[in-house]
Amino acid sequence: MPTSIRSIALGLLGLGPSLALAQPAAAPADFQAALWAASCMACHGTDGRAEGTGLALAGKPEQELYGFLVAFKEGRRSGTIMHQHAKGYSDEELRRIARYFAGVKP
């Protein structure tokens, strides 16, 4: 094997371990719910991990989160903007969003 080809082959073999480490993180099980949940970031922090005045959603029980979302949607719970956000989703979509946040480690 000529020296230049051998050098390239050895170099590529050496990249294997670093390429394995550079793989992106696994996508959430419900990618669509993760996209919907991204709109909550402004008030509830990245992945629902609020820092400061926003309510943290990460790791809260799914049923509790879902109940809050439906209550906002139906006008049984007041808020500054949540009632408007919740009205934009079906009950099944709200359940998927609640499940997403429940599955995020706080």
Side-chain angles (χ1 to χ4, degrees), residues 64-74 82 86 94 97-98:
E64 179 182 322
L65 293 171
Y66 176 69
F68 288 155
L69 290 169
V70 171
F72 280 121
K73 180 179 179 177
E74 295 175 349
M82 278 305 303
L94 292 176
I97 293 168

